[in-house]
Amino acid sequence: VLVTAGGIGGNHDLVRENWPDRLGTAPRSLISGVPEHVDGRMLGITEQVGGRLVNRDRMWHYTEGIKNWDPIWKNHGIRIIPGPSSMWFDARGRRFPVPNFPGFDTLGTLKAIQDSGYEYSWFVLTQKIIEKEFALSGSEQNPDITDKNLKLVLSRVLPGASGPVEAFKNNGEDFVVADTLGELVRGMNAITGEELIDVTDLKRQIEARDREVDNPFTKDLQISAIHNSRRSRGERIARTASPHKILDPKSGPLIAVRLHIVTRKTLGGIQTDLQGRVLDGAGKAIEGLWAAGEIAGFGGGGVHGYRSLEGTFLGGCIFGGRQAGRALASQA
Ligand SMILES: Cc1cc2nc3c(=O)[nH]c(=O)nc-3n(C[C@H](O)[C@H](O)[C@H](O)COP(=O)(O)OP(=O)(O)OC[C@H]3O[C@@H](n4cnc5c(N)ncnc54)[C@H](O)[C@@H]3O)c2cc1C
């Protein structure tokens, strides 16, 4: 038997049960970045037959989750893959400290959000930023790539947000679009039903950031990061908006996006040897039982360690599956 049933991200109780202290308190509210079948059921079943589970507290969840307005599975969350320019605030409208910039340190920002006492956060940005810097994770959100439509792929460098991003802006319950900051803040507070964001305080922080756009020697590290990113031609053309003032009406309208914690990867799981054979509590291979993929922590029970590197997960699934497949074939 080769167990390849995936991780635990669709089972929020299990995610909370295994939640590590190093990521702050476990969120009561989560959205699902994986389908419902990613429920961890086979972990328990493998354990019942003697398989050893290790590194259960290693996990990777995203901080830029939005509720899918057109869901495919229950509680469907989509991750925004952001460029560096959106301003990031906690639920009370306090800008997160360095280095919690969009796309910089997923697990570090997850801890910062949990430490804020709330389970969501806000991006504040402009139309100019959303057009260039928002990508959405998930095959159905990237029809140009999944349909291998080169013309549509190339249109990503043209002005304007992609169809799926525009649809979220218009239909997503987490989005506020407004011409003035006052209107934007009213919309943000209406979404949460609490008067947590103070317009004067938010304006002060955005103006402080905007002032630094004119300063070639700025110490605002997010502005420095935007300049740094644009040194790469690819980023400049397709991914990072030219630096501009958020409160400049020419770059508007203003946009606020409420961000949830969206579950995704399970970095621990069934312990195996290099061939994918499931090990028992004494480290002995269990006859006839194998595991590969996310359920085996992408290999061996946790090949990535605690933090992992973005986008390197499928490789472990494919390599681990190949190892197990070859070993099984050699036994046949
Ligand atoms: C939106 C999204 C974007 C991602 N982007 C990336 C990326 O860019 N780079 C990257 O490296 N990784 C990415 N990942 C992660 C990666 O896709 C997964 O880690 C990987 O697909 C896991 O593969 P797997 O075969 O181990 O498990 P899965 O793909 O989850 O497959 C498990 C299979 O087992 C079946 N199953 C489950 N339980 C049972 C059961 N009890 N009985 C029978 N069948 C069962 C399921 O139906 C499913 O077909 C992304 C994941 C998602 C959801």
Side-chain angles (χ1 to χ4, degrees):
V1 174
L2 172 57
V3 186
T4 57
I8 65 169
N11 181 341
H12 296 178
D13 288 337
L14 206 52
V15 169
R16 280 187 281 264
E17 207 177 290
N18 292 314
W19 192 268
D21 290 342
R22 65 180 175 280
L23 293 181
T25 50
R28 282 154 304 177
S29 153
L30 290 160
I31 56 176
S32 281
V34 294
E36 280 163 285
H37 68 249
V38 185
D39 62 4
R41 195 168 149 245
M42 284 305 295
L43 283 169
I45 292 173
T46 308
E47 199 173 26
Q48 274 171 29
V49 297
R52 184 171 179 219
L53 303 191
V54 291
N55 304 319
R56 293 186 209 212
D57 66 340
R58 297 186 189 179
M59 47 182 88
W60 174 289
H61 306 298
Y62 287 108
T63 44
E64 312 94 339
I66 46 178
K67 291 185 184 165
N68 192 350
W69 65 275
D70 187 15
I72 295 174
W73 57 75
K74 197 171 134 213
N75 204 9
H76 189 172
I78 299 282
R79 182 204 174 202
I80 299 167
I81 308 171
S85 304
S86 299
M87 289 186 80
W88 207 340
F89 297 93
D90 72 11
R92 301 186 76 89
R94 294 170 298 208
R95 190 179 181 189
F96 282 112
V98 179
N100 300 303
F101 306 140
F104 268 58
D105 178 359
T106 294
L107 293 186
T109 310
L110 177 52
K111 166 99 170 55
I113 292 170
Q114 289 310 107
D115 288 349
S116 76
Y118 293 84
E119 299 180 346
Y120 64 88
S121 61
W122 291 99
F123 272 171
V124 173
L125 60 148
T126 61
Q127 176 66 22
K128 202 168 167 182
I129 294 172
I130 202 171
E131 287 185 3
K132 201 146 187 184
E133 299 198 3
F134 269 34
L136 300 173
S137 183
S139 51
E140 77 286 351
Q141 303 299 330
N142 297 280
D144 52 345
I145 295 174
T146 45
D147 295 346
K148 298 187 182 154
N149 185 329
L150 191 61
K151 209 167 136 204
L152 272 182
V153 172
L154 291 175
S155 75
R156 285 183 180 230
V157 300
L158 299 175
S162 71
V165 170
E166 198 58 31
F168 261 96
K169 199 184 95 186
N170 296 329
N171 304 311
E173 65 177 71
D174 298 309
F175 283 71
V176 187
V177 182
D179 288 325
T180 65
L181 193 62
E183 208 188 312
L184 191 82
V185 168
R186 272 194 296 283
M188 293 163 82
N189 286 333
I191 282 186
T192 61
E194 293 180 277
E195 296 290 315
L196 290 180
I197 310 278
D198 175 67
V199 68
T200 313
D201 193 36
L202 196 69
K203 186 159 181 261
R204 176 187 59 76
Q205 295 173 81
I206 300 177
E207 281 176 345
R209 175 263 184 215
D210 279 359
R211 262 197 307 277
E212 297 304 307
V213 172
D214 296 328
N215 179 359
F217 305 106
T218 180
K219 299 290 182 292
D220 184 313
L221 293 187
Q222 189 172 9
I223 303 281
S224 302
I226 295 167
H227 288 302
N228 201 25
S229 171
R230 284 176 58 83
R231 288 206 180 93
S232 143
R233 189 188 295 161
E235 290 291 311
R236 201 168 55 243
I237 293 172
R239 193 69 181 122
T240 306
S242 56
H244 59 276
K245 297 185 181 188
I246 302 246
L247 293 179
D248 179 354
K250 284 201 294 297
S251 305
L254 291 162
I255 300 166
V257 189
R258 179 166 65 155
L259 305 168
H260 307 266
I261 310 296
V262 55
T263 60
R264 183 73 107 238
K265 278 124 189 171
T266 310
L267 302 183
I270 302 171
Q271 192 171 34
T272 71
D273 65 9
L274 292 177
Q275 294 177 12
R277 293 185 300 179
V278 176
L279 303 179
D280 66 14
K284 229 171 116 276
I286 298 175
E287 185 68 33
L289 189 58
W290 312 70
E294 191 165 342
I295 198 161
F298 300 97
V303 78
H304 285 285
Y306 284 101
R307 291 184 89 81
S308 182
L309 192 60
E310 184 61 74
T312 58
F313 304 93
L314 282 170
C317 295
I318 293 164
F319 182 72
R322 189 180 75 157
Q323 287 292 97
R326 283 185 171 173
L328 274 162
S330 73
Q331 285 201 343

